[in-house]
Amino acid sequence: MLSYLNILSFPLTSLLVEILSELKLEKREPRSLSRVHLVESVPVGLYESSPPPRRSIADSWLRLLQRANSSVDIAAFYFTLRASDTDLGGSADAQGREVFQQLKQLHARGVKLQIAVNSPQKSIRDTGELAAAGAEVREVDLQVVTGGIVHTKLWVVDQKHLYVGSANMDWRSLTEVKEVGVSVEDCSCLAQDAFRIFGVYWSLGGVNHTSLPPYWPARLSALSSSQNPLRLKLNGVPARAYLSSSPPQISARGRADDLSSILSVIDDAHNFIYISVMDYLPLSQYTQPVRFWPAIDSALRAAACTRGVHVRLLVSCWEHSPGSMFTFLRSLLVLSSPPLSCHISVNVFTVPSTAEQKKIPYARVNHAKYMVTDRALYIGTSNWSENYFTQTAGVGLVVNQTGSAVGPGQQTLQSQAEDLFLRDWSSPYSSPLSVDDQHPCAQ
Ligand SMILES: *[C@@H]1O[C@H](CO)[C@@H](O)[C@H](O)[C@H]1NC(C)=O
Ligand SMILES: *[C@@H]1O[C@H](CO)[C@@H](O)[C@H](O)[C@H]1NC(C)=O
Ligand SMILES: *[C@@H]1O[C@H](CO)[C@@H](O)[C@H](O)[C@H]1NC(C)=O
Ligand SMILES: *[C@@H]1O[C@H](CO)[C@@H](O)[C@H](O)[C@H]1NC(C)=O
C-alpha cells in the first residue's frame, strides 16, 4: 500500500524511465538494493517557506529502528534524547522521545541494543534507562589512552544498514540544530565495516584500559580503504566507498585515518571544493601549548592557489564560535585579492532564533561537517581542528561516484550534497565574510 502511494506521487514519465533503466540493468548484473539517503535536521523556523524535500535524520533513525531485526549498535558522544526541565523542551523534544521509546522497545522485540558511549557521561538518564530495558551500555574512556573523547555518531543495524553524520543522540540535534548525515540501507559490506569501527570502541569499553592493546584482532581489520574502496551500487549508481576513522591510535589494520581521507579528497578535487563545517581552526585546540596545525589549511591553499580549484567554506556563527577562527579565515580570504586572485570564499551561516529559542543551551547552530567536491563526498563527525584527528574518536565516509554512469532519474550522492551546500550557501542565513570584518559573529 505504501509503495503504491509513493508511485502515485511520482511523475509518471520519470517512473517509466526508472523502470526501463532498471530492466536494462537487470540484464547485465543483479539488481542492487542498496539505498542511500542524504539526511538532514533543519532547525524549527529555518527554510520555513521552502521546506527541504530531504528525509529528516529523525525519520531516518526511526526507519532504521523499524527495520531492525537482530541488532542495533550505536557509538555516541552522549545521550540526551529527552529534554530535561531546564532545557525548555516543552513538546520540542517529541522526536527525540519517539526515538528513545523505539530504542527502549528493541529488547522486547528480540533486538539486541549495544551502546558505546563516551566516558564520563554528563547524564546517565537515557543510557541508564535503556540499560534497565535490556540494552548493553559500555562507557569508553579515551582520555587515559589517547587524551581524547568519543565524538563519533554512528549507527549499525543488523550489520546491514548504517547511519553516520553530525547529529548527536540529542533531542536538539533533531529539531534545534542543523545537521547532515547519510543513511545507507541494505548494504552489508559497508555496514559490516562500520561494525568493525564500533567493535574497537566496544572492546575499549569492555575493560578498564590504561593503554591500548598491542595490536587489534583481525576481526576488526578494515574492510575498505582509499586504496581498496568497496565497489557498490548506491541507488543504482556505481560507487566506490570507504570508511575512515580517527585517531590513528585506535585504527585496526588497514583502516584509513580520517585526516588522510579529508586530505585525499581535497587533493583529488579538479574544479570545486565546498566545505560546510561548524568550526575550522588550523590549531590544536585542547593541548597546551596551543600550536599551529596547518594540514588542512595548506591543502586548501594549494588547491585554490596552485590548481585553480574554487574553494568555498561555510562556517558557523553562534555564541561559542572561536574568535581565532575568523582571523584564520580572513588570512585565507586575503589570497583572493590580486595579483594572486585565488578562488577562495568564506560565508558565515547563522541560524536565527526567537527569544525563547535563544534560551535553549547549545542549539540553533549549523553543526554539519561535510565536504563535497566535483569528485567525491566526505561526511564526517569531527570539528576541523587538530585534536579531532589526533586524539578524539570520529568517523568519516567517503563516497566517490566520479565517472559512474548515471541513468535518467538518478542522482549521485555527491551531486545531492552539492545541491544541499549551494542551497545553504545562497540562503538568507549565509553572508560573506570580508577581509576587514572584525566581528562577523557579534550578535
Ligand atoms: C529476523 O530474525 C529472525 C530470527 O532472529 C529470522 O528468522 C528472520 O529471517 C529475520 N528476518 C529478516 C527479514 O531478516
Ligand atoms: C573501572 O574503574 C573504575 C574506577 O577506577 C571502577 O569503578 C570500575 O568498577 C572499573 N570497571 C571494571 C570493569 O573493572
Ligand atoms: C575517485 O575515483 C576515481 C576513479 O577511480 C579516482 O581516480 C579518484 O582518485 C577517486 N577520488 C577519491 C577522492 O577517492
Ligand atoms: C566542536 O566545536 C564546538 C565549537 O567550538 C564546541 O562547542 C564543541 O564543544 C566542539 N566539540 C567538542 C566535543 O569539543
Side-chain angles (χ1 to χ4, degrees):
M1 184 61 194
L2 236 162
S3 58
Y4 184 58
L5 284 178
N6 281 344
I7 284 171
L8 284 184
S9 64
F10 225 84
L12 198 58
T13 44
S14 63
L15 178 71
L16 283 174
V17 167
E18 183 135 316
I19 290 173
L20 287 176
S21 63
E22 287 290 345
L23 286 176
K24 226 163 58 195
L25 284 174
E26 200 95 71
K27 263 194 245 157
R28 280 186 283 124
E29 52 219 326
R31 185 161 177 254
S32 164
L33 294 171
S34 297
R35 306 292 298 176
V36 64
H37 289 273
L38 194 64
V39 292
E40 64 172 339
S41 295
V42 177
V44 175
L46 209 72
Y47 295 116
E48 229 162 12
S49 54
S50 52
R54 240 161 252 106
R55 185 180 281 181
S56 72
I57 291 178
D59 284 348
S60 75
W61 288 356
L62 290 170
R63 180 171 163 87
L64 289 179
L65 292 176
Q66 200 181 12
R67 293 202 62 185
N69 191 35
S70 57
S71 62
V72 173
D73 303 287
I74 299 178
F77 179 21
Y78 63 93
F79 270 79
T80 48
L81 285 166
R82 299 166 299 165
S84 68
D85 298 340
T86 54
D87 281 343
L88 306 160
S91 60
D93 65 346
Q95 302 195 24
R97 281 181 183 276
E98 173 70 9
V99 171
F100 182 80
Q101 287 312 323
Q102 296 302 323
L103 285 170
K104 206 172 155 184
Q105 283 160 22
L106 288 175
H107 186 71
R109 281 170 46 201
V111 178
K112 188 162 136 193
L113 172 60
Q114 299 189 133
I115 292 172
V117 65
N118 182 62
S119 168
Q121 297 188 74
K122 277 207 195 93
S123 160
I124 58 160
R125 185 167 159 241
D126 282 2
T127 49
E129 208 172 301
L130 290 172
E136 199 180 336
V137 178
R138 288 191 181 176
E139 294 196 342
V140 185
D141 187 354
L142 273 189
Q143 197 62 46
V144 284
V145 284
T146 67
I149 56 170
V150 177
H151 193 242
T152 301
K153 307 104 177 41
L154 175 71
W155 288 44
V156 185
V157 173
D158 291 349
Q159 293 193 38
K160 220 162 110 184
H161 323 294
L162 75 144
Y163 161 87
V164 63
S166 63
N168 286 307
M169 307 305 120
D170 184 333
W171 67 273
R172 290 166 295 197
S173 303
L174 302 177
T175 46
E176 302 295 337
V177 180
K178 196 172 166 307
E179 313 271 11
V180 172
V182 163
S183 103
V184 189
E185 292 179 60
D186 298 298
C187 193
S188 302
C189 35
L190 200 55
Q192 280 166 12
D193 201 24
F195 183 70
R196 291 175 170 220
I197 294 178
F198 174 85
V200 167
Y201 307 140
W202 196 245
S203 82
L204 282 171
V207 277
N208 271 347
H209 275 291
T210 50
S211 61
L212 291 167
Y215 57 88
W216 294 100
R219 66 182 164 80
L220 298 180
S221 297
L223 296 175
S224 67
S225 68
S226 51
Q227 284 82 37
N228 291 301
L230 293 169
R231 287 165 193 279
L232 317 160
K233 266 193 177 176
L234 297 174
N235 300 346
V237 183
R240 294 167 296 279
Y242 66 94
L243 288 161
S244 57
S245 113
S246 69
Q249 303 89 294
I250 63 163
S251 286
R253 191 184 164 86
R255 179 67 60 204
D257 86 86
D258 220 11
L259 176 62
S260 304
S261 70
I262 288 178
L263 296 178
S264 77
V265 171
I266 292 175
D267 292 344
D268 182 54
H270 289 185
N271 303 327
F272 68 82
I273 300 172
Y274 298 158
I275 296 168
S276 177
V277 280
M278 174 168 153
D279 282 342
Y280 175 84
L281 264 188
L283 284 184
S284 67
Q285 239 178 319
Y286 304 106
T287 39
Q288 292 299 330
V290 168
R291 65 164 177 256
F292 184 47
W293 180 75
I296 295 177
D297 205 60
S298 298
L300 291 178
R301 285 167 197 260
C305 296
T306 67
R307 307 206 311 277
V309 175
H310 288 247
V311 174
R312 287 177 173 181
L313 270 148
L314 184 63
V315 299
S316 301
C317 164
W318 67 328
E319 75 254 37
H320 304 288
S321 298
S324 52
M325 167 165 88
F326 298 105
T327 309
F328 281 118
L329 289 170
R330 286 198 303 270
S331 83
L332 273 175
L333 270 184
V334 158
L335 302 172
S336 61
S337 333
L340 280 181
S341 308
C342 312
H343 299 290
I344 297 188
S345 31
V346 178
N347 275 19
V348 177
F349 195 96
T350 310
V351 175
S353 306
T354 62
E356 203 54 20
Q357 288 164 339
K358 275 206 174 79
K359 295 186 201 154
I360 307 172
Y362 288 97
R364 312 301 300 174
V365 66
N366 187 358
H367 189 244
K369 303 149 193 329
Y370 68 94
M371 161 168 61
V372 58
T373 73
D374 54 306
R375 314 257 301 163
L377 168 67
Y378 166 88
I379 280 226
T381 65
S382 290
N383 283 339
W384 284 26
S385 69
E386 180 181 18
N387 304 87
Y388 286 90
F389 301 103
T390 54
Q391 295 180 297
T392 287
V395 286
L397 169 66
V398 176
V399 178
N400 181 347
Q401 290 171 305
T402 298
S404 296
V406 181
Q410 295 178 329
Q411 202 184 4
T412 62
L413 199 61
Q414 62 212 67
S415 85
Q416 289 181 46
E418 184 186 343
D419 290 350
L420 188 149
F421 180 90
L422 291 174
R423 179 205 66 193
D424 289 346
W425 181 266
S426 49
S427 76
Y429 315 112
S430 154
S431 55
L433 181 72
S434 74
V435 171
D436 33 46
D437 202 347
Q438 296 300 318
H439 301 287
C441 209
Q443 287 178 306

